[in-house]
Amino acid sequence: MMIIRKFWRQKSILFLTGFFLISLLFACQRVPIVESQTSTATPVAEETATTQLTAVAYPDKELSASPAQLPKLPYAYNALEKAIDAETMKLHHDRHHAAYVKNLNAALQKYPELQNKSVEAMLRDLNSIPEDIRETVRNNGGGHLNHTILWQIMSPNGGGEPTGDIAQQINQTFGSFDAFKKQFNEEGGNRFGSGWVWLVRNPQNQLQIVTTPNQDSPIADGLYPIMGNDVWEHAYYLRYQNRRAEYLNNWWNVVNWSEINRRLQSVSQPA
């Protein structure tokens, strides 16, 4: 009888020990995490015609970055005397713009794979640019792109009131050309330090006046530049000194509305 009791006691101990070990094994296993049914993936914004376009410097072609090239002025240095003196134009184009091109190309030599990308593509995705040259690309790529646009939207035969689609859309958005010009000049005058004032097409397909600091390009914020004016001091100081407002007002005498209409029509087309 004692032997039987001892036998069952040993079996009970073995059973309890086995049960404990099995329970411990399950407890130590990683429990899979079930995602909440209320969580959703971050929505991806639908690309608009504005953000899909890459041809910003020249609406009919892509700006090469392999290497970047200083474009020729489409007029003589003294052709814009109604607003800008010849010496300023020479320094602005031959020194400042040329320096942006030189610095950009020098930075890209470290990363040959970037030389196959357009300046627009790099500025639209600055986070993809290696950190050690990111600011250089932002400043000098932006300076190159911004000035390439600027030379085209000025003309010795410019000035006057806009015509065509740009006139119609300015009136619809701002009420009148005078109201638009006043707001554009005020925004340019209020831009602290160096920068640009722009008329852009935003992702909502609306015209909008914005300013950017330094040489930042509007395309970095998903905006398409229709027209813009440089309010860095090097753009006006030889003639106007600190009178930025006078420079902004006179600049309308050389605005190339034909080119601006072409830029507007380009961004209005489906990509």
Side-chain angles (χ1 to χ4, degrees):
M1 195 69 176
M2 290 290 293
I3 294 174
I4 295 174
R5 281 201 295 266
K6 186 176 180 180
F7 172 76
W8 283 110
R9 189 183 302 118
Q10 289 177 344
K11 290 202 66 174
S12 299
I13 292 172
L14 288 173
F15 174 78
L16 291 173
T17 302
F19 179 79
F20 173 77
L21 289 174
I22 293 172
S23 300
L24 183 62
L25 178 63
F26 276 100
C28 292
Q29 286 184 340
R30 184 177 178 180
V31 178
I33 299 174
V34 180
E35 292 187 4
S36 169
Q37 294 181 355
T38 59
S39 64
T40 57
T42 302
V44 178
E46 182 179 353
E47 286 191 330
T48 63
T50 299
T51 58
Q52 289 174 1
L53 284 174
T54 57
V56 175
Y58 303 99
D60 56 350
K61 64 180 180 179
E62 190 170 279
L63 179 64
S64 173
S66 54
Q69 296 181 354
L70 179 68
K72 293 182 179 180
L73 284 177
Y75 34 72
Y77 293 123
N78 64 353
L80 306 180
E81 287 279 358
K82 290 184 289 185
I84 306 171
D85 59 280
E87 186 63 18
T88 293
M89 286 298 303
K90 184 175 178 64
L91 290 171
H92 201 168
H93 177 269
D94 295 3
R95 301 289 181 85
H96 290 280
H97 192 173
Y100 300 135
V101 172
K102 179 181 178 181
N103 293 337
L104 175 63
N105 288 333
L108 295 179
Q109 285 181 354
K110 296 176 61 177
Y111 298 95
E113 67 276 11
L114 293 179
Q115 295 179 15
N116 296 323
K117 299 185 71 173
S118 69
V119 174
E120 290 96 330
M122 289 188 285
L123 292 176
R124 279 200 172 99
D125 190 14
L126 282 167
N127 288 334
S128 69
I129 304 300
E131 189 173 358
D132 62 323
I133 66 166
R134 189 175 300 158
E135 280 302 301
T136 301
V137 170
R138 177 179 182 172
N139 294 332
N140 293 280
H144 174 38
L145 186 61
N146 293 346
H147 285 88
T148 301
I149 296 170
L150 180 65
W151 310 139
Q152 298 175 76
I153 63 167
M154 297 190 296
S155 168
N157 301 317
E161 296 201 2
T163 58
D165 290 343
I166 187 64
Q168 180 180 0
Q169 294 200 31
I170 283 176
N171 289 335
Q172 290 176 349
T173 304
F174 302 97
S176 68
F177 174 60
D178 287 340
F180 162 69
K181 185 165 67 171
K182 179 182 178 181
Q183 183 179 340
F184 192 93
N185 284 355
E186 287 177 349
E187 293 289 340
N190 291 334
R191 175 74 252 178
F192 184 78
S194 301
W196 291 71
V197 55
W198 302 93
L199 176 68
V200 299
R201 171 84 71 189
N202 64 28
Q204 291 73 45
N205 208 33
Q206 301 165 332
L207 293 185
Q208 181 181 353
I209 295 173
V210 300
T211 67
T212 55
N214 304 314
Q215 291 296 351
D216 286 6
S217 169
I219 68 173
D221 296 319
L223 306 169
Y224 187 94
I226 303 297
M227 60 181 286
N229 194 8
D230 189 348
V231 295
W232 282 63
E233 287 188 343
H234 66 235
Y236 62 87
Y237 200 81
L238 290 183
R239 177 168 174 178
Y240 297 97
Q241 285 82 50
N242 64 329
R243 304 188 305 275
R244 183 190 286 186
E246 184 179 347
Y247 157 70
L248 286 166
N249 193 56
N250 285 346
W251 180 75
W252 296 99
N253 293 318
V254 295
V255 171
N256 185 351
W257 292 113
S258 295
E259 178 63 26
I260 292 168
N261 258 314
R262 190 165 76 93
R263 295 184 64 82
L264 177 70
Q265 290 165 4
S266 174
V267 77
S268 298
Q269 295 174 355

